[in-house]
Amino acid sequence: HGSMASAAAKLRADYAAAVKNIFANADFTSAAKRYQNPQENWTRFEALLDALGRPTAGLKVVHIAGTNGKGTTSALCESMLRSSGARVGLFTSPHLHSFRERIRVNGELVSQAEVVEAMQQVSKAVNAVGYASPFEKLSALALVCFQRAKMEWAVLETGLGGRWDSTNHCEPVVCGITRIGMDHMNVLGNTIGQIASEKAGILKPGVPAFTVPQESEA
């Protein structure tokens, strides 16, 4: 019992350290660094994915952007895929109670042990590349978790916008854009049209896309 208790205590400590590592360089000002030098950040995250062995490879991705309802839409897509018998990973944000809500594997919260092991891979790759923002580390962690769990499908909810978002480094099977409103105006723009343009950045040639009725400017 003593060895089991010490192992559990070590896992809790390792898990806490992994989560702390992700958010250690969080910037709580209104700035979004990814949008200050978007092309540079895009290139660096591509290098991070290369260092991780392209964990998106082999995943069928459903990519969801929008202002309102994108979390719900992502959860519904995941549920429908899973009920059809597919193995599905779900990446959403933010979390309410547990950090592990952000990454679900076949409908279950990712385990603490899996976060620890996958984060070791991510940290090694981040050190090789030189820098990654908290959301970039989160996105990479989710993809590594899905790869390790041999997921067939991944439902990815954008973090902010779409075009430059770290979830956009994929070739999705299908995209969805939910209702667009005024959000993250300090980063995405001051009009519905500008914000819609950023979110439409997830659309790709030859990839089916679905949306809902939008304001005329969108």
Side-chain angles (χ1 to χ4, degrees), residues 15-193:
Y15 169 72
V19 175
K20 186 176 180 181
N21 179 329
I22 291 169
F23 294 104
N25 58 334
D27 181 357
F28 295 108
T29 67
S30 62
K33 286 191 168 58
R34 191 170 183 82
Y35 276 75
Q36 291 171 9
N37 299 292
Q39 188 59 61
E40 179 183 317
N41 294 328
W42 180 274
T43 302
R44 191 189 61 249
F45 193 72
E46 279 288 306
L48 180 62
L49 292 177
D50 284 340
L52 288 167
R54 305 303 295 191
T56 52
L59 274 178
K60 299 173 188 171
V61 173
V62 178
H63 199 192
I64 307 293
T67 303
N68 302 310
K70 67 180 187 288
T72 302
T73 302
S74 298
L76 287 169
C77 288
E78 186 274 345
S79 180
M80 287 187 285
L81 284 165
R82 190 158 39 86
S83 65
S84 75
R87 294 175 56 78
V88 192
L90 174 64
F91 177 53
T92 58
S93 58
H95 63 272
L96 296 177
H97 304 292
S98 167
F99 164 82
R100 295 182 296 130
E101 292 168 20
R102 293 170 179 258
I103 303 171
R104 295 178 189 260
V105 176
N106 267 341
E108 302 291 331
L109 303 189
V110 66
S111 70
Q112 290 187 356
E114 192 58 28
V115 169
V116 170
E117 292 189 27
M119 196 57 204
Q120 289 173 350
Q121 290 179 239
V122 172
S123 294
K124 185 177 179 182
V126 169
N127 289 337
V129 172
Y131 174 85
S133 72
F135 193 75
E136 288 168 345
K137 285 181 274 189
L138 272 169
S139 302
L141 177 67
L143 292 170
V144 169
C145 286
F146 298 157
Q147 183 186 52
R148 289 169 56 91
K150 296 180 169 55
M151 296 292 95
E152 301 168 74
W153 289 81
V155 180
L156 306 180
E157 177 195 359
T158 58
L160 191 160
R163 178 164 58 129
W164 298 110
D165 195 73
S166 49
T167 61
N168 203 24
H169 294 252
C170 65
E171 291 297 327
V173 174
V174 64
C175 295
I177 298 180
T178 66
R179 181 90 173 151
I180 293 171
M182 304 299 277
D183 70 334
H184 297 291
M185 292 160 62
N186 61 307
V187 177
L188 301 179
N190 293 316
T191 69
I192 290 287

